[in-house]
Amino acid sequence: MALLQELEKQGNFLFRYRSYFPLLLLPLAFWVYNYMISRNPELFSDKGITLLEIISISICLLGLIIRICTVGFTPANTSGRNTAEGQVADTVNTTGIYSIVRHPLYLGNYFMWLGIAVLAGDVWFMIAFTLAYWIYYERIMYAEEQFLTRKFGEKYTLWASVTPAFIPQFSKWTSTNLTFSWKKVLKKEKNGLFAIFLLVLIFNCWGTWLNTNQWITSKVWSINAAIATGVFYFIFKFINSGTTWLNEDGR
């Protein structure tokens, strides 16, 4: 099998399991966290919020904002929203955030998970995560672009030839005609905020256990943030499953 065909085959396989890849980060992150807390305990204070946590949450929120800006301005069944079964695209997004970067959702994912990697407190771990993420998602992006090239031909290749794959080029910004859809964001991205603060809480509980052999963290802000975002998530999950309030034609 030619290398390009092999890359596409790998990308299609990895695409189906892309949501699970970052979970492989967590066991290693906990191990690194354990190592770093013994080397640099001042980074992991159990009193209040630490600088490391502020940086981590800020990076995660940057990733979530990128995803929100992407999802909120895209129509249904486009290159920006695909399914576990395979690629879906009724049209090609070329305006808004897609005018400055071809894969904004994967860029958002990167920052969200980089923020979690920051919690481990080790620069080399962050670098290793970045390299692993690139190797994994490079294949997914290649397979996705092959699908779009075959479906849309020159329309896609012309746009792709002037739009960077992963690092935004802000000078190329072109406004979109679509209005921002908060309903679509709440429908598609409601779990992001909860996931961030739940993982932060889990790390805090892990750190407490390492220091005291108790699982309950003393960081009340972390518990409250996880509970508040969890309530938000389950409210809108119920609304989405039990009503049609979040549905919009064409979105």
Side-chain angles (χ1 to χ4, degrees):
M1 182 180 296
L3 180 58
L4 293 180
Q5 292 175 310
E6 180 63 29
L7 286 174
E8 184 175 3
K9 180 180 178 182
Q10 292 176 10
N12 285 324
F13 173 79
L14 296 174
F15 174 85
R16 292 194 294 271
Y17 302 101
R18 68 196 186 282
S19 299
Y20 302 102
F21 162 72
L23 297 178
L24 300 176
L25 160 75
L26 293 179
L28 184 57
F30 287 138
W31 182 85
V32 174
Y33 185 91
N34 187 13
Y35 173 76
M36 292 300 295
I37 204 171
S38 63
R39 294 285 300 273
N40 301 289
E42 68 279 1
L43 290 176
F44 306 95
S45 170
D46 59 355
K47 305 297 182 183
I49 187 169
T50 66
L51 177 61
L52 198 64
E53 289 167 338
I54 293 173
I55 295 172
S56 167
I57 293 170
S58 298
I59 294 174
C60 287
L61 291 177
L62 171 61
L64 182 59
I65 290 170
I66 292 172
R67 287 191 59 91
I68 288 173
C69 290
T70 303
V71 171
F73 284 108
T74 55
N77 294 336
T78 70
S79 55
R81 297 300 305 181
N82 297 307
T83 68
E85 289 76 24
Q87 311 287 348
V88 174
D90 290 342
T91 186
V92 179
N93 295 316
T94 60
T95 59
I97 197 168
Y98 281 94
S99 65
I100 62 174
V101 63
R102 300 203 302 271
H103 300 279
L105 288 175
Y106 298 153
L107 177 64
N109 288 350
Y110 167 71
F111 282 114
M112 290 184 72
W113 283 102
L114 176 64
I116 300 304
V118 166
L119 286 175
D122 183 61
V123 173
W124 288 109
F125 178 66
M126 300 173 210
I127 294 172
F129 163 73
T130 298
L131 293 174
Y133 188 94
W134 177 254
I135 291 171
Y136 190 97
Y137 274 90
E138 182 182 41
R139 284 152 175 76
I140 294 176
M141 290 187 289
Y142 177 79
E144 203 170 277
E145 294 196 356
Q146 287 296 100
F147 165 79
L148 293 169
T149 298
R150 283 192 289 266
K151 182 162 187 176
F152 297 105
E154 187 177 14
K155 179 181 179 181
Y156 177 78
T157 56
L158 285 175
W159 166 74
S161 67
V162 297
T163 308
F166 202 71
I167 300 176
Q169 189 172 346
F170 295 98
S171 62
K172 293 184 176 296
W173 175 266
T174 302
S175 297
T176 178
N177 293 325
L178 287 173
T179 58
F180 186 80
S181 172
W182 275 110
K183 287 187 176 183
K184 185 173 183 181
V185 168
L186 291 172
K187 186 175 183 178
K188 300 293 186 180
E189 300 297 318
K190 59 186 176 295
N191 61 318
L193 196 63
F194 179 40
I196 291 170
F197 286 100
L198 178 61
L199 287 170
V200 171
L201 175 61
I202 290 172
F203 269 89
N204 284 335
C205 290
W206 174 244
T208 300
W209 184 84
L210 291 174
N211 287 322
T212 66
N213 288 328
Q214 296 179 347
W215 279 108
I216 303 300
T217 179
S218 60
K219 296 190 176 186
V220 178
W221 71 266
S222 181
I223 298 172
N224 290 339
I227 292 174
T229 54
V231 169
F232 173 85
Y233 166 74
F234 284 108
I235 286 174
F236 281 97
K237 183 177 178 64
F238 173 78
I239 291 173
N240 185 40
S241 61
T243 74
T244 59
W245 184 70
L246 295 179
N247 295 342
E248 288 182 280
D249 291 338
R251 306 297 290 273

